[in-house]
Amino acid sequence: MELLGDSAAALIARLLRARGVERVFALCGGHIMPIWMCLDAEGIAIVGVRDERAAVHMAQAHAEVTGGFGVALVTAGPGVTNAMTGIVNAHVSRAPVLVLSGTPPRPQENRGALQDLDHTQLLRSVTRYARTVREPALVLQELDEAISRALGEGGEPGPAYLDFPTDTLRAEVPRPLQLGERLRRKPAPVLLPSPELVAEAVELLWSARRPLVVAGRGARGAGPQLMRLLDALGALYLDTGESRGLVPAQHESFVGAVRGAAMAEADVVVTVGRRLDFQLAFGSPAVFGEAAFVRIADTPSELRDNRRGAVEILASPAHTLTALVAAAGDRIPATDRAWTSALRRRHEERAARLRAEMAGAPAGRDGRMHPYRVLSALQEKLDGAGIAVIDGGDFLSFARVGLSAPVMLDPGSLGCIGVGVPYGIAAALACPDRNVLVATGDGAFGFNAIELDTAARYRAPVVIVVANNGAWQIEAHDQQVTYGKVAGTRLQFSDHAAMARAFGMYGERVERPEDLAGALARAFAQRPALLDVIVTPEAVSSDAKSGLAGVPDLQPLAAWDEAERRWRA
């Protein structure tokens, strides 16, 4: 069937190509086949996945590592419902993802057609835009708008969704309505900061004794400007899962290993494109004391949540940080250098102890190796341009502090475990010249383990390391401590390497620390590859110790929850 030329499906493919889309993550189906075939004809690569959730996860990871937007194509009905976990994760992560789907032909609507669902009713609360496009002449207009919404042009970035009746996709769009203005790439809008607010922020910051800067998603793309502010102000700095790699751990402002002390002792806290969510104790005075806040963001959701700022600047972070440094000029900051030096020294000492602890972490009573031994070996394989994806519950807690790379992806504030394999595949396809490593727990690995087939088929140059402790360990630990027994949270020590080999990947099981280096060398030489590393379930992670799995009432961590109760009283 001829679908090129002036069909609506052909125009969708043409617009995506014009906007720089080179790869779409998809799972086939009849309702979307016109788009599928036109993407192929337009020269856009299709990465065919095994589950629609993984397609959206991959689109999100593609957006994260390229700085653009990712595209997922899923079929109607269960294709969309399967994709919803990925869509919700992109929604919470504020990731620019475009999701396209189909619906039954218009003459079959509301008549019990195959896979007939009103998808938009399901998706409106978790997308920036959700529309069914029935008129072929409006396809370019709607697609243009959906991409703009996904990129956060005029609002918060996040997933945007469009679907099309199949007969609409096959219909011809008149040439006069194919306006070239819809096809052209648009420069990202820039919001300039108010000079008056910049002056207020400079006065507060340069008068502060103990300034602390915390960066989030909105600071991406502003790394150099962020470091210039830190250098000029002498402030301390904390990254979060959203901003790992923006400021290297070697920078004298970086104090990630003494995060709690920095948060408790700061007198002014600057958030740059970062929500004050559960990972930052909701900005509570119980944790941050009497600190004043300066909030900088280009989207309102990162500007006013939980704590209002003494100064709030709604503007592009890179331009705002540049304006702050320029406005301060030669002014000498009041920053207490003894305080910053002491915390930096404590950070370095704790980081050094952690490295030593990781390299020599003893095996459990069961003789199986400690997760830190795995992470110590992995860290040696991540060069200055590597990409690390960390995933899991208990293992994520170890990896969050034990692994570092210029670019890091994790389950995010939704806690969407299972993203590791699809994230790693997409990152490896987008950046084939970089070392891409997935470090995942065995429980999280199982969610999208079938995507090993996708990695093998597309020869994605990724190394996946599964820390296999045979349990949902953070929950098993909480059950044992809180309830005195473990129920339903044990897994098998399954042979994940055999599964990888079944799909045509290199796979190897590792049970001794002394075998890790050789196994990693072989894995990186034969990508895609998977190492199934047996670790002890007896190791207790920091998240397990903190009570995170127990879900305290007021704060996510037990210590913060107790502090919140004392403060409220």
Side-chain angles (χ1 to χ4, degrees):
M1 181 180 295
E2 179 63 41
L3 287 170
L4 304 181
D6 297 323
S7 72
L11 293 183
I12 291 171
R14 203 169 299 156
L15 187 148
L16 292 178
R17 168 57 79 185
R19 297 296 180 89
V21 174
E22 298 179 350
R23 183 177 293 111
V24 169
F25 305 93
L27 204 161
C28 60
H31 294 97
I32 57 171
M33 198 56 70
I35 302 176
W36 187 288
M37 299 310 297
C38 288
L39 291 173
D40 178 72
E42 196 64 42
I44 296 174
I46 299 171
V47 178
V49 302
R50 299 297 302 273
D51 186 277
E52 289 87 357
R53 158 179 52 186
V56 185
H57 286 329
M58 290 183 191
Q60 176 174 341
H62 178 90
E64 306 278 21
V65 300
T66 65
F69 67 97
V71 183
L73 175 63
V74 303
T75 200
V80 173
T81 57
N82 286 348
M84 283 194 68
T85 295
I87 293 171
V88 173
N89 190 47
H91 163 66
V92 174
S93 300
R94 308 183 299 290
V97 172
L98 174 67
V99 181
L100 303 177
S101 186
T103 66
R106 286 169 290 182
Q108 299 182 38
E109 285 184 356
N110 299 317
R111 299 178 63 194
L114 174 67
Q115 298 180 337
D116 189 10
L117 275 179
D118 188 349
H119 307 132
T120 58
Q121 293 284 11
L122 297 174
L123 293 170
R124 282 202 176 100
S125 66
V126 291
T127 56
R128 306 298 175 265
Y129 196 67
R131 292 289 302 276
T132 295
V133 185
R134 292 179 172 83
E135 170 52 50
L138 295 178
V139 163
L140 288 181
Q141 175 177 324
E142 291 286 0
L143 192 56
D144 185 15
E145 181 66 18
I147 293 171
S148 296
R149 297 288 189 96
L151 290 169
E153 296 174 0
E156 184 179 59
Y161 173 85
L162 291 178
D163 60 25
F164 312 84
T166 309
D167 61 325
T168 296
L169 294 172
R170 291 191 284 255
E172 183 175 307
V173 178
R175 284 287 176 92
L177 299 179
Q178 299 177 25
L179 299 177
E181 67 199 42
R182 299 288 183 191
L183 299 174
R184 288 191 293 272
R185 295 194 203 189
K186 311 298 190 295
V190 173
L191 293 173
L192 297 178
S194 158
E196 292 79 9
L197 292 177
V198 167
E200 288 184 33
V202 166
E203 181 60 34
L204 183 58
L205 290 172
W206 262 255
S207 300
R209 297 285 293 162
R210 300 182 303 279
L212 173 68
V213 178
V214 184
R217 164 174 290 278
R220 293 178 182 177
Q225 295 85 352
L226 182 58
M227 284 190 281
R228 281 196 286 272
L229 174 70
L230 294 172
D231 291 338
L233 184 58
L236 294 181
Y237 174 75
L238 295 177
D239 64 4
T240 59
E242 298 179 346
S243 57
R244 294 287 290 271
L246 279 182
V247 175
Q250 297 75 24
H251 195 280
E252 63 180 12
S253 293
F254 192 96
V255 290
V258 288
R259 185 174 300 267
M263 290 164 60
E265 296 172 14
D267 59 359
V268 175
V269 177
V270 185
T271 63
V272 184
R274 187 60 167 89
R275 287 175 170 172
L276 288 168
D277 61 10
F278 78 95
Q279 298 172 86
L280 291 169
F282 310 114
S284 172
V287 173
F288 283 93
E290 297 181 2
F293 283 81
V294 175
R295 310 294 302 270
I296 299 169
D298 58 4
T299 180
S301 66
E302 296 168 352
L303 195 73
R304 297 190 292 266
D305 66 315
N306 290 313
R307 292 293 300 275
R308 298 301 297 258
V311 183
E312 297 171 347
I313 303 178
L314 181 61
S316 300
H319 289 78
T320 303
L321 297 172
T322 297
L324 290 173
V325 174
D330 296 329
R331 179 173 174 176
I332 304 299
T335 301
D336 181 350
R337 298 291 179 170
W339 176 71
T340 59
S341 297
L343 276 188
R344 174 64 184 178
R345 186 165 54 251
R346 286 172 56 191
H347 159 82
E348 290 174 335
E349 291 169 354
R350 183 170 292 183
R353 285 199 305 271
L354 175 62
R355 287 192 295 271
E357 179 186 347
M358 288 171 58
R365 291 170 300 175
D366 54 8
R368 299 183 177 109
M369 78 177 86
H370 195 287
Y372 272 154
R373 296 296 294 272
V374 184
L375 293 166
S376 180
L378 295 183
Q379 185 63 59
E380 294 181 7
K381 293 298 295 184
L382 282 171
D383 56 25
I387 297 174
V389 181
I390 55 178
D391 190 16
D394 198 59
F395 185 64
L396 177 68
S397 178
F398 289 110
R400 193 184 296 118
V401 297
L403 205 60
S404 179
V407 176
M408 294 193 70
L409 305 178
D410 66 21
S413 57
L414 184 65
C416 189
I417 66 172
V419 298
V421 173
Y423 275 14
I425 292 170
L429 291 174
C431 307
D433 297 328
R434 302 174 72 171
N435 279 346
V436 178
L437 172 71
V438 176
T440 178
D442 55 333
F445 169 73
F447 280 92
N448 285 295
I450 192 64
E451 299 304 331
L452 294 183
D453 174 65
T454 306
R457 281 184 291 119
Y458 292 92
R459 307 307 301 168
V462 61
V463 172
I464 300 165
V465 177
V466 181
N468 187 350
N469 63 6
W472 298 101
Q473 187 54 38
I474 195 168
E475 286 78 15
H477 176 81
D478 177 64
Q479 287 177 341
Q480 187 64 56
V481 171
T482 306
Y483 302 100
K485 64 175 296 188
V486 175
T489 53
R490 297 294 187 202
L491 301 171
Q492 302 181 80
F493 284 91
S494 301
D495 191 343
H496 305 303
M499 180 182 183
R501 291 193 296 270
F503 285 119
M505 290 173 59
Y506 179 79
E508 183 176 344
R509 173 168 274 204
V510 183
E511 300 190 42
R512 302 186 306 168
E514 56 267 32
D515 296 333
L516 277 169
L520 281 168
R522 290 186 290 274
F524 274 93
Q526 301 179 72
R527 294 173 285 182
L530 181 144
L531 298 182
D532 183 33
V533 185
I534 304 301
V535 298
T536 179
E538 296 177 7
V540 182
S541 69
S542 59
D543 281 352
K545 294 175 184 176
S546 71
L548 182 70
V551 193
D553 289 343
L554 302 178
Q555 288 280 353
L557 306 181
W560 287 356
D561 192 70
E562 293 167 7
E564 183 79 16
R565 292 178 187 281
R566 291 194 300 269
W567 175 71
R568 292 190 180 193

